[in-house]
Amino acid sequence: MLRFLVLASLVLFGHSTQDFPETNARVVGGTEAQRNSWPSQISLQYRDGGLWYHTCGGTLIRRNWVMTAAHCVDSQMTFRVAVGDHNLSQNDGTEQLVSVQKVVVHPNWNRNNVAAGYDIALLRLAQSVPLNNYVQLGVLPQEGSTLANNTPCYITGWGKTQTNGQVSQTLQQAYLPSMDYAICSSSSYWGPMVKRTMVCAGGDGIRSGCQGDSGGPLHCLVNGQYSVHGVTSFVSSLGCKVSRKPTVFTRVSAYISWMNTVMASN
């Protein structure tokens, strides 16, 4: 877990002079989270050469199910998740490592068109994990619900802390208030690339997601409780903290029925 790599398949559009979505999301402009303050956050890891490497984030939503981004798991690799972790480079004594038994990617996901949406997947774990002070289930929003503009939200993850910068071995968090769809989809921001099945947050040019945070949660404070309203999906290919290009998340509330059906039938 000392080495952080991004799978080539995660870069759907690559870097260019044009402003395309980039699915290498990491926390930029954030601070280290208090240890185990986001107990539903998981590290998704893949095996290469007998070693395990962090690649994406995710959310524990049932004791044997994890929610993440489709672009994190749409390749043939062996995955596991670490729950209850904080520092990926050392043994915290609170982490549990569990194999991924089955990957279910949304059937409408198209790796060549992340802007179409459907960037969501479920992972069935090989065994149920015990819940404790360090491992808890993420609270999901009500089906179909949307966030009011400027709702307080936080992105969390272990990715790089600036474009082309260094990775973070400890879990980071950054304050990213939500942005109304009407604003985010306007020509000054993302335009038609953003769909109603997505959530925009941030866009101040200081704090954002980027490489290594993909699949991880956007926790938003609604009715006095933090719930997971987003799955980290993409940022601008021009860089992570681009002004008026907020981090874009899959809107969890648009996929509640699909997730319930998958978990009930598997």
Side-chain angles (χ1 to χ4, degrees):
M1 289 187 285
L2 291 173
R3 188 169 135 215
F4 288 62
L5 295 180
V6 179
L7 305 179
S9 61
L10 298 189
V11 185
L12 302 189
F13 291 90
H15 294 276
S16 69
T17 57
Q18 296 183 350
D19 202 357
F20 292 123
E22 171 72 69
T23 54
N24 290 332
R26 56 190 176 265
V27 170
V28 174
T31 58
E32 182 175 349
Q34 183 177 344
R35 187 177 295 268
N36 304 116
S37 57
W38 305 105
S40 65
Q41 169 90 46
I42 67 95
S43 164
L44 177 65
Q45 302 167 4
Y46 69 97
R47 188 174 183 177
D48 183 26
L51 298 175
W52 293 92
Y53 304 114
H54 170 85
T55 185
C56 281
T59 303
L60 186 70
I61 58 173
R62 292 192 185 175
R63 289 180 58 205
N64 63 332
W65 285 96
V66 162
M67 176 179 65
T68 189
H71 78 259
C72 290
V73 291
D74 65 357
S75 58
Q76 295 297 317
M77 304 195 76
T78 300
F79 294 103
R80 75 177 185 184
V81 301
V83 300
D85 215 340
H86 179 72
N87 189 326
L88 296 180
S89 65
Q90 67 184 35
N91 187 347
D92 294 319
T94 58
E95 60 271 83
Q96 303 173 51
L97 302 173
V98 188
S99 299
V100 172
Q101 186 176 73
K102 186 174 184 177
V103 175
V104 184
V105 173
H106 195 284
N108 293 334
W109 163 248
N110 180 357
R111 67 168 64 187
N112 297 314
N113 186 13
V114 65
Y118 308 105
D119 191 8
I120 190 168
L122 292 176
L123 313 177
R124 187 178 69 187
L125 305 181
Q127 62 195 60
S128 295
V129 298
L131 304 180
N132 51 41
N133 290 336
Y134 313 102
V135 180
Q136 292 289 324
L137 303 182
V139 177
L140 301 186
Q142 183 177 354
E143 183 174 9
S145 62
T146 57
L147 293 168
N149 189 56
N150 213 34
T151 298
C153 298
Y154 283 88
I155 184 176
T156 54
W158 284 278
K160 293 184 179 181
T161 54
Q162 64 183 34
T163 304
N164 300 321
Q166 298 298 309
V167 300
S168 175
Q169 296 179 11
T170 56
L171 185 67
Q172 301 289 300
Q173 66 179 41
Y175 178 67
L176 293 186
S178 66
M179 180 179 291
D180 184 78
Y181 170 77
I183 300 173
C184 193
S185 61
S186 69
S187 58
S188 299
Y189 289 83
W190 274 110
M193 243 173 239
V194 168
K195 308 300 186 291
R196 290 190 179 274
T197 55
M198 301 174 183
V199 172
C200 300
D204 61 0
I206 301 172
R207 294 161 294 194
S208 75
C210 228
Q211 190 170 20
D213 283 339
S214 292
L218 179 71
H219 320 259
C220 298
L221 184 61
V222 178
N223 296 326
Q225 181 181 44
Y226 278 102
S227 48
V228 181
H229 281 259
V231 174
T232 309
S233 185
F234 64 84
V235 292
S236 171
S237 62
L238 299 181
C240 295
K241 53 179 184 178
V242 178
S243 181
R244 297 198 172 191
K245 286 295 182 288
T247 306
V248 181
F249 302 80
T250 301
R251 181 165 63 86
V252 174
S253 64
Y255 296 94
I256 298 295
S257 292
W258 175 75
M259 290 191 289
N260 287 339
T261 298
V262 168
M263 291 185 290
S265 59
N266 287 277

